Amino acid sequence: MSFETVIGLEVHVELLSETKVFCTCKSEFGGKPNTRICEICTGMPGTLPRLNEKVVEFAVKTGLATDCEITKITRFDRKNYFYPDLPKAYQISQLYLPICRNGHIEIKTENGKKIIGIHEIHIEEDAGKLIHTESGTLIDCNRCGVPLLEIVTEPDFSGADEVIAFLEALRSTLTYLGVSDCKMQEGSMRADVNLSVRSAGSRELGTRTEMKNLNSFHDIADAVKSEAARQIALIKSGEAVIQQTRRWDADKRESYAMRSKEAANDYRYFPEPDIPPIDISESFINRINSALPELPAAKKQRYMNELGLSGYDASVLTNDIYIVSFFEAALKDCNSPKEVANWVLGEVLRLLKDSGTDSKSNPLKPEALVKIIEMVQSGKINRNTGKTVLEKAFYDGVDVERYISENGLSLITDSDVIESSVEAVIAGNEKSVTDYKRGKTAALGYLVGQTMKALGGRADANEIQKLLRELLN
Ligand SMILES: [Zn+2]
């Protein structure tokens, strides 16, 4: 009997609005515990929430970018539950009339393109944080009331690769829109995975579990694989899968049961009486729609058509909005898009990776890269020197031209100097010269290397090779 896996996602993203969703406290990540709180976000009796319009705007933006229908009259509901990080003992969320519905995102899979349905997107507030210490548990309410979007997909995924492809596509869309920075490690993007298995070809859904505490794409991929295997093993041994919430243990690389999964009616949802229904006008939607930025898929296509980049290069470049900004800024001053793309895809991405710098904090100035490309193209420096200088500009912020002149890195242009150096190498390497003359072409490479060494690397290897050939033949 063969099985197939059915997966749906619930993705929470924190929004980049300056203030919280129902009060004017700062919503920025971090801060000294309990310094970004007020009577509203800590749920003091007698206070009233006031909806932050920016949050509605961000939600509509996200809905439009994912082809959702926007709910014209939307409303909030209270989700009641008790937990120490939730001082009000209810969370303001949207159950009955979520702000966006019926959208989709296209992903690339091994078997081509696939459409992943978005069931709904709704606005809700985040809870606080519990900090467990040796002497007890502390509560930090800074995160209470930070605006969240919950993006609920249809159960359209059949494996870990599709889940990751979707999350990457969602992350680049949201960062392009500027609505969230989607940092999994800081918790501004979190995904819960609903998973069930069924016999291949069956149309009925099996019993599903929900997995929480997934803090990286790597965890998500492993959790999907391990949960599918666990459920299949249960079914094969004649046991039943129990509907439950499971927690992923990143150290043990396995999940364990946390509690039986709640149904919506366990939360005693009811309409939030303190916030009137929101009437979203056509003109509000049109204004947001007309200001949407070029989105990743469109940008990728344009890079391929207009700049002549390969599909692969275009997709690596357009994945990340901060790389896009850097690339486009460099492109403004340089009319060799392919050359700029090669340097960004090769050297710049390598420097970011080696130094563990995220693309948002890239210290490199686009002008520095442009200067280096120009100097390589005009033959003032060679490519290797260019790479060295780029590294210096990245780590130490050196001025490219000054660094090259102060360190004497520009190419030697005096042909007499080059020629005499080549002659000296020929005179000093009799064996290689004989080898070359007997047809060992590899010997030529050695002679080029020796000349480059003698010239301190400040020469054009092709030119030296040409000169060597002339003199040896
Ligand atoms: Zn507040």
Side-chain angles (χ1 to χ4, degrees):
M1 188 170 168
S2 67
F3 292 89
E4 60 188 27
T5 309
V6 180
I7 305 163
L9 294 179
E10 288 166 23
V11 184
H12 285 90
V13 293
E14 274 179 3
L15 298 180
L16 285 172
S17 64
E18 217 161 290
T19 53
K20 293 184 180 180
V21 55
F22 301 118
C23 64
T24 54
C25 295
K26 286 235 168 308
S27 61
E28 201 187 334
F29 175 79
K32 201 166 165 266
N34 300 312
T35 54
R36 294 171 187 169
I37 57 173
C38 71
E39 57 278 17
I40 294 174
C41 53
T42 51
M44 295 296 148
T47 57
L48 284 174
R50 281 180 67 185
L51 179 62
N52 181 347
E53 188 182 333
K54 198 77 193 167
V55 172
V56 178
E57 187 187 314
F58 280 179
V60 170
K61 238 183 183 181
T62 305
L64 292 173
T66 51
D67 287 314
C68 285
E69 296 157 16
I70 308 300
T71 310
K72 297 290 159 53
I73 306 271
T74 183
R75 195 177 83 179
F76 288 88
D77 304 288
R78 287 188 182 178
K79 180 180 181 178
N80 298 280
Y81 68 97
F82 174 77
Y83 203 66
D85 64 6
L86 187 73
K88 290 204 294 262
Y90 63 84
Q91 178 192 31
I92 302 179
S93 178
Q94 299 190 293
L95 177 71
Y96 301 106
L97 290 170
I99 188 161
C100 313
R101 285 180 282 198
N102 302 325
H104 63 262
I105 283 185
E106 188 180 280
I107 59 165
K108 254 178 86 179
T109 74
E110 273 184 352
N111 311 313
K113 288 175 180 171
K114 183 169 178 181
I115 301 286
I116 302 296
I118 292 178
H119 181 77
E120 65 173 74
I121 300 175
H122 59 253
I123 299 171
E124 59 186 33
E125 58 179 335
D126 213 342
K129 230 182 235 171
L130 297 183
I131 303 156
H132 303 286
T133 70
E134 271 176 24
S135 54
T137 295
L138 305 170
I139 303 174
D140 176 7
C141 288
N142 281 355
R143 210 175 62 181
C144 290
V146 165
L148 294 178
L149 286 186
E150 179 171 346
I151 298 142
V152 183
T153 76
E154 299 293 351
D156 286 343
F157 304 96
S158 60
D161 294 349
E162 292 180 10
V163 169
I164 302 305
F166 174 85
L167 289 171
E168 279 173 351
L170 179 67
R171 181 172 64 182
S172 50
T173 301
L174 296 176
T175 51
Y176 269 57
L177 296 173
V179 303
S180 175
D181 57 15
C182 296
K183 287 185 180 168
M184 288 205 98
Q185 70 281 12
E186 287 183 6
S188 64
M189 184 184 210
R190 319 193 273 268
D192 298 338
V193 174
N194 290 305
L195 185 150
S196 61
V197 298
R198 63 183 173 194
S199 57
S202 160
R203 304 193 68 180
E204 230 167 286
L205 288 169
T207 305
R208 70 189 166 114
T209 60
E210 180 178 4
M211 257 178 311
K212 290 186 176 291
N213 195 39
L214 301 162
N215 298 320
S216 69
F217 285 0
H218 176 61
D219 281 4
I220 292 171
D222 280 2
V224 164
K225 288 174 199 156
S226 110
E227 181 59 10
R230 190 188 70 87
Q231 291 189 16
I232 290 170
L234 278 176
I235 295 170
K236 277 187 173 164
S237 68
E239 286 176 70
V241 174
I242 301 165
Q243 185 170 340
Q244 60 191 185
T245 302
R246 301 180 66 85
R247 192 177 166 84
W248 177 250
D249 185 327
D251 295 325
K252 291 189 186 150
R253 313 304 298 164
E254 62 186 28
S255 66
Y256 58 89
M258 232 165 95
R259 54 172 189 254
S260 64
K261 168 105 178 96
E262 333 50 19
N265 58 13
D266 291 336
Y267 288 113
R268 298 286 179 262
Y269 275 97
F270 67 86
E272 165 60 56
D274 288 342
I275 305 172
I278 319 295
D279 185 347
I280 300 177
S281 70
E282 204 63 48
S283 65
F284 181 80
I285 296 173
N286 290 340
R287 180 169 67 76
I288 293 172
N289 202 16
S290 59
L292 283 183
E294 182 181 36
L295 292 170
K299 200 180 274 294
K300 180 188 163 191
Q301 199 55 52
R302 184 168 65 79
Y303 280 7
M304 290 165 69
N305 298 346
E306 288 178 13
L307 307 180
L309 300 183
S310 72
Y312 177 78
D313 286 357
S315 79
V316 176
L317 273 178
T318 53
N319 241 339
D320 181 329
I321 187 63
Y322 303 108
I323 297 297
V324 167
S325 312
F326 181 86
F327 175 66
E328 293 190 349
L331 219 52
K332 268 194 202 130
D333 301 319
C334 184
N335 48 13
S336 324
K338 271 203 175 144
E339 196 58 17
V340 178
N342 284 341
W343 279 86
V344 172
L345 290 166
E347 293 309 300
V348 177
L349 291 184
R350 184 184 61 80
L351 288 166
L352 289 170
K353 187 165 174 250
D354 288 356
S355 61
T357 310
D358 71 59
S359 54
K360 192 181 175 181
S361 328
N362 181 6
L364 200 61
K365 300 240 177 342
E367 307 85 72
L369 176 63
V370 172
K371 189 58 47 210
I372 289 169
I373 292 175
E374 278 170 1
M375 292 178 93
V376 171
Q377 283 182 331
S378 64
K380 286 213 180 75
I381 55 173
N382 61 25
R383 195 165 278 270
N384 273 339
T385 305
K387 288 180 184 174
T388 313
V389 179
L390 190 74
E391 211 165 300
K392 278 281 168 194
F394 182 89
Y395 286 108
D396 307 328
V398 301
D399 178 87
V400 168
E401 275 176 301
R402 192 183 315 149
Y403 185 81
I404 289 170
S405 79
E406 280 175 0
N407 291 278
L409 295 175
S410 48
L411 293 187
I412 297 165
T413 44
D414 187 337
S415 52
D416 290 346
V417 174
I418 296 174
E419 206 168 319
S420 65
S421 195
V422 170
E423 280 163 356
V425 166
I426 290 175
N429 291 278
E430 250 174 67
K431 189 176 175 310
S432 298
V433 170
T434 323
D435 285 350
Y436 174 72
K437 286 186 173 163
R438 283 185 186 150
K440 269 198 187 168
T441 43
L444 188 66
Y446 175 75
L447 295 170
V448 172
Q450 289 302 303
T451 317
M452 280 296 270
K453 204 170 149 191
L455 292 168
R458 295 165 51 208
D460 179 354
N462 290 327
E463 203 179 307
I464 292 173
Q465 194 176 47
K466 216 173 101 193
L467 200 57
L468 272 165
R469 275 218 182 91
E470 278 170 22
L471 292 174
L472 289 174
N473 294 338

